[in-house]
């Protein structure tokens, strides 16, 4: 596997900034806002600034504010969902620092739903308490809009759109610069910075069906991996149980908050079925509900199940879930009368670039935050509405670390030249992408087994072998090699973990096995040699 995907020469345009943040979701923009105002920050958005997974988040943010709730209960629920692999200390920080960060959001103008001056709390699966604050069913958009608006007012923050980060340049294990493709001009730019914060999101686009936006192609993880960072817990991929299943839209999320407000699941005969799978029924942990739906669909030979909230009145539904109500109605589904067709789809990756409690990776001055990172909080299965919270809590921690240390660092004045060997790749990459997505969807989905994983491995290895011989220059090509790289790692880790735990379910090893209470670390050397390291 190549260390660098593209070459650069001495004529490359060079831009200097103290901190380069890759990604314009909640983790990236909140980190920028928390960094002291005497530090110069540049945020790069792969597409438009408002396109991110965070902006699509519906449900809300988990925080223990209820009279009967406490950070300890939030911690217990997170650990329970994480199926033995969550890092207790990290979770402790998450639940205890939640309140202060939510207060910051409110101070920045975010308007969560309130009644009588008190934040409304809803319930989501596997939470023992009502603790999800929300802005109707567009919480992510409300938060992102306000963060972006605040950052536009800050003199020390620059927001640049259509900037695709390709590779980081490392010297003596320290991050020095980032090679970026300016999509508007087609030219490469070298961003030199004291720090890089990677907040580029997950890899949902590796799958045929996903709730993720088009930008989620695993770029940040692939870039970090090529540079020598460790990717951890990559086999744990979360499938959201209830994504709309309609011929015109198979990626629109029907928030878990709908089940939190009482919606029930029905099979194609209109019968409830969750009681056959788990005593918590519709509010069992997300992996359990997704797998139960998958089994019910197999049993009834149908392509979807149905979510029923039709017992609530229209006025309530229009007010509480305006986006879901309007989107469904547009497609001819009146949720106050009709069942909503839904099926599981890829939603979130628990794994990512391994970080410590300050968001530091193993590469000096290279931080990771949000879905691209693996702080160890989510373990084998993320508890609903903990992801935006993780972006906030660890974004703030990264910002503190940078604000405290930035005066000790200097910008690099070296010139970098990277040779790019190989022929220009002239084939369209869309077919290659389709092959990867098909293999991931059919063989590395909700239920896996050795023979399917080996088939997926064969497809992906072959793809990588071919791609490795070429030179790339377009974003589509670079994205494809990133997707193939991450797919290879997910498959390798899924093959290695011969047990079922959380979101990773192997039909050939269908029980958890205590020997596997460990994380699988993936680094370039290990994947290239097909060996792994384990840590507990
Ligand atoms: C949802 O609203 O169901 C998604 C929330 C999450 O992924 O945490």
């Amino acid at each position: 596997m190549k260390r660098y995907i593209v070459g650069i020469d001495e004529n490359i345009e060079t831009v200097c900034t103290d901190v380069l943040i890759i990604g314009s979701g909640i983790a990236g923009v909140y980190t920028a806002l928390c960094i002291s105002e005497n530090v110069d920050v540049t945020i790069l958005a792969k597409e438009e600034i408002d396109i991110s997974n965070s902006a699509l988040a519906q449900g809300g943010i988990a925080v223990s504010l209820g009279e009967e709730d406490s950070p300890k209960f939030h911690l217990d629920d997170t650990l329970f969902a994480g199926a033995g692999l969550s890092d207790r200390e990290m979770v402790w920080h998450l639940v205890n620092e939640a309140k202060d960060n939510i207060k910051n959001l409110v101070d920045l103008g975010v308007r969560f739903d309130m009644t009588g001056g008190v934040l409304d709390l809803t319930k989501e699966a596997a939470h023992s308490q009502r603790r999800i604050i929300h802005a109707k069913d567009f919480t992510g958009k409300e938060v992102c809009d306000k963060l972006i608006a605040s950052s536009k007012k800050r003199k020390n923050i620059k927001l640049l759109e259509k900037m695709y980060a390709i590779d980081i340049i490392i010297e003596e294990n320290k991050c020095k610069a980032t090679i970026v493709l300016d999509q508007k001009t087609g030219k490469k730019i070298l961003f030199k910075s004291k720090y890089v914060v990677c907040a580029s999101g997950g890899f949902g686009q590796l799958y045929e069906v996903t709730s993720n936006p088009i930008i989620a192609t695993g770029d940040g993880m692939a870039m970090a991996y090529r540079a020598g960072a460790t990717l951890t817990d990559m086999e744990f991929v979360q499938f959201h149980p209830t994504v709309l299943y309609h011929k015109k839209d198979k990626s629109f999320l029907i928030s878990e908050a709908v089940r939190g407000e009482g919606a029930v699941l029905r099979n194609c005969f209109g019968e409830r079925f969750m009681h056959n799978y788990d005593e918590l029924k519709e509010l069992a942990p997300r992996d359990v509900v997704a797998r139960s739906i998958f089994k019910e669909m197999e049993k009834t030979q149908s392509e979807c199940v149905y979510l029923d909230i039709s017992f609530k009145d229209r006025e309530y539904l229009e007010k509480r879930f305006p986006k879901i109500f309007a989107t469904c109605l547009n497609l001819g589904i009146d949720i106050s009368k009709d069942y909503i067709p839904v099926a599981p789809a890829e939603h979130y990756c628990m794994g990512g670039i391994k970080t410590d409690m300050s968001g530091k990776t193993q590469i000096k001055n290279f931080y990771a935050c949000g879905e691209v990172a693996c702080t160890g909080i989510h373990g084998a299965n993320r508890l609903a509405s903990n992801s935006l919270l993780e972006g906030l809590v660890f974004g703030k921690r990264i910002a503190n670390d940078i604000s405290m240390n930035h005066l000790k660092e200097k910008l690099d004045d070296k010139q970098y030249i990277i040779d790019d060997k190989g022929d220009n790749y002239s084939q369209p990459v869309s077919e290659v992408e389709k092959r990867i997505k098909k293999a991931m969807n059919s063989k590395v989905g909700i239920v896996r087994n050795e023979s399917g994983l080996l088939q997926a491995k064969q497809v992906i290895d072959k793809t990588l072998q071919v791609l490795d011989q070429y030179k790339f220059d377009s974003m589509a090509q670079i994205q494809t090699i990133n997707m193939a790289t991450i797919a290879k790692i997910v498959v390798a880790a899924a093959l290695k973990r011969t047990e079922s735990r959380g979101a990773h379910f192997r039909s050939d090893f269908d029980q958890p096995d205590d020997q596997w209470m460990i994380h699988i670390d993936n680094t370039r050397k290990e994947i290239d040699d097909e060996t792994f390291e384990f840590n507990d």
Side-chain angles (χ1 to χ4, degrees):
M1 186 178 293
K2 283 187 187 170
R3 164 63 186 95
Y4 291 103
I5 294 288
V6 295
I8 56 171
D9 61 27
E10 62 279 10
N11 297 320
I12 189 167
E13 182 190 345
T14 302
V15 174
C16 294
T17 182
D18 290 331
V19 183
L20 185 74
I21 297 186
I22 304 167
S24 62
I26 197 168
V29 184
Y30 187 69
T31 303
L33 284 166
C34 292
I35 291 175
S36 20
E37 297 196 33
N38 60 341
V39 181
D40 165 48
V41 179
T42 303
I43 302 176
L44 304 183
K46 184 173 168 185
E47 292 293 342
E48 281 75 31
I49 206 87
D50 56 353
I51 299 187
S52 65
N53 230 348
S54 311
L56 293 180
Q58 295 181 355
I61 308 181
V63 51
S64 53
L65 297 175
E67 270 175 29
E68 292 181 3
D69 202 0
S70 76
K72 169 73 172 69
F73 294 152
H74 187 182
L75 175 129
D76 289 343
D77 293 346
T78 302
L79 297 182
F80 174 68
L85 283 190
S86 297
D87 182 316
R88 194 184 176 90
E89 198 183 347
M90 293 290 210
V91 179
W92 185 243
H93 288 299
L94 179 86
V95 297
N96 279 292
E97 292 162 31
K99 211 167 152 180
D100 285 350
N101 285 291
I102 297 303
K103 187 174 173 314
N104 279 349
L105 289 189
V106 174
D107 292 345
L108 287 166
V110 176
R111 290 172 57 170
F112 294 108
D113 294 342
M114 291 179 128
T115 308
V118 178
L119 288 166
D120 289 345
L121 301 174
T122 191
K123 196 163 174 358
E124 284 184 355
H127 284 273
S128 58
Q129 304 278 331
R130 291 183 82 88
R131 68 164 72 94
I132 318 297
I133 58 169
H134 49 85
K136 309 269 188 278
D137 58 355
F138 45 77
T139 311
K141 181 162 169 31
E142 167 65 13
V143 176
C144 288
D145 283 355
K146 295 290 158 50
L147 293 183
I148 290 168
S150 300
S151 64
K152 282 183 177 165
K153 288 187 204 141
R154 286 270 296 266
K155 286 205 177 71
N156 67 317
I157 301 177
K158 246 194 235 98
L159 290 146
L160 303 178
E161 296 189 318
K162 290 203 166 277
M163 290 283 186
Y164 181 49
I166 303 172
D167 267 314
I168 46 172
I169 296 178
I170 309 292
E171 268 198 348
E172 291 167 6
N173 198 37
K174 191 167 182 178
C175 184
K176 300 279 185 167
T178 307
I179 307 169
V180 175
L181 180 71
D182 180 346
Q183 288 191 65
K184 299 183 291 296
T185 61
K187 292 207 171 109
K188 283 171 266 181
I189 303 178
L190 188 68
F191 280 84
K192 288 190 171 178
S193 60
K194 295 177 180 174
Y195 302 96
V196 171
V197 180
C198 186
S200 56
F203 57 62
Q205 289 296 331
L206 252 60
Y207 287 81
E208 280 172 326
V209 278
T210 175
S211 62
N212 288 194
I214 47 154
I215 58 166
T217 49
D219 304 306
M221 288 183 205
M223 168 207 285
Y225 175 75
R226 281 193 292 274
T230 299
L231 304 185
T232 289
D233 287 349
M234 295 294 280
E235 65 278 34
F236 297 113
V237 180
Q238 183 168 75
F239 293 81
H240 196 290
T242 56
V243 174
L244 188 65
Y245 188 83
H246 188 278
K247 59 180 184 306
K248 290 203 180 133
D249 194 339
K250 291 197 176 73
S251 66
F252 181 71
L253 198 67
I254 308 293
S255 175
E256 201 148 288
V258 179
R259 274 174 287 135
E261 296 299 343
V264 296
L265 284 161
R266 299 185 184 278
N267 63 18
C268 59
F269 306 113
E271 297 156 353
R272 287 188 68 179
F273 57 88
M274 274 309 298
H275 56 277
N276 297 326
Y277 296 96
D278 196 279
E279 58 181 18
L280 292 170
K281 300 181 207 144
E282 278 79 2
L283 293 181
R286 200 171 269 183
D287 61 309
V288 175
V289 181
R291 235 168 6 251
S292 306
I293 293 176
F294 182 83
K295 283 189 194 148
E296 195 67 17
M297 280 163 39
E298 265 191 348
K299 201 166 115 189
T300 56
Q301 306 252 300
S302 46
E303 291 186 343
C304 65
V305 293
Y306 297 88
L307 194 63
D308 175 14
I309 185 100
S310 60
F311 51 87
K312 294 268 194 194
D313 65 52
R314 189 185 173 101
E315 201 188 332
Y316 164 83
L317 291 171
E318 272 189 289
K319 191 160 174 252
R320 174 67 182 87
F321 299 114
K323 191 161 165 59
I324 294 173
F325 192 92
T327 305
C328 288
L329 201 59
N330 245 334
L331 296 169
I333 305 159
D334 178 345
I335 69 169
S336 68
K337 294 194 191 113
D338 306 323
Y339 296 164
I340 313 167
V342 290
E346 196 283 349
H347 183 57
Y348 189 88
C349 46
M350 271 65 80
I353 310 168
K354 188 173 178 167
T355 66
D356 70 7
M357 60 181 68
S358 301
K360 287 181 177 147
T361 68
Q362 289 146 322
I363 299 169
K364 233 177 145 234
N365 295 7
F366 179 68
Y367 296 79
C369 190
E371 189 173 351
V372 76
C374 182
T375 57
I377 280 171
H378 310 306
N381 180 41
R382 176 175 65 85
L383 183 67
S385 287
N386 264 353
S387 52
L388 296 184
L389 180 61
E390 185 194 37
L392 294 172
V393 167
F394 287 85
K396 174 93 174 101
R397 288 178 151 263
I398 290 171
N400 288 349
D401 205 69
I402 290 176
S403 302
M404 249 162 33
N405 293 307
H406 78 102
L407 288 176
K408 293 182 216 150
E409 297 291 338
K410 274 207 196 84
L411 277 172
D412 192 26
D413 54 9
K414 236 183 116 171
Q415 191 172 63
Y416 294 99
I417 294 175
I418 296 169
D419 263 357
D420 195 8
K421 298 187 194 77
D423 299 327
N424 281 326
Y425 187 77
S426 54
Q427 320 290 320
V429 280
S430 53
E431 281 309 309
V432 181
E433 237 180 66
K434 267 192 209 151
R435 275 204 299 277
I436 298 172
K437 283 172 184 261
K438 188 158 185 256
M440 292 300 284
N441 228 70
S442 57
K443 310 293 178 197
V444 201
I446 297 180
V447 175
R448 302 136 179 214
N449 61 42
E450 187 181 49
S451 98
L453 289 168
L454 287 173
Q455 286 170 46
K457 179 172 158 33
Q458 210 175 19
V459 172
I460 292 155
D461 281 352
K462 222 159 111 192
T463 306
L464 271 171
Q465 258 166 29
V466 174
L467 294 180
D468 231 18
Q469 295 161 19
Y470 288 94
K471 261 168 68 163
F472 298 97
D473 52 17
S474 75
M475 183 169 98
Q477 292 170 342
I478 298 164
Q479 241 177 218
T480 306
I481 196 150
N482 284 344
M483 288 166 74
T485 303
I486 298 303
K488 182 174 168 81
I489 299 166
V490 173
V491 171
L495 262 170
K496 195 75 198 166
R497 186 172 286 278
T498 47
E499 65 152 359
S500 289
R501 181 179 301 278
H504 171 71
F505 188 86
R506 292 267 309 242
S507 55
D508 46 354
F509 296 93
D510 64 358
Q511 295 301 316
D513 176 348
D514 278 355
Q515 287 184 58
W516 279 109
M517 293 281 279
I518 50 176
H519 300 271
I520 300 176
D521 282 350
N522 309 272
T523 63
R524 279 194 68 157
K525 184 181 172 324
E526 281 131 25
I527 291 290
D528 290 349
D529 300 351
E530 310 256 336
T531 57
F532 298 83
E533 251 175 32
F534 303 105
N535 71 71
D536 38 34

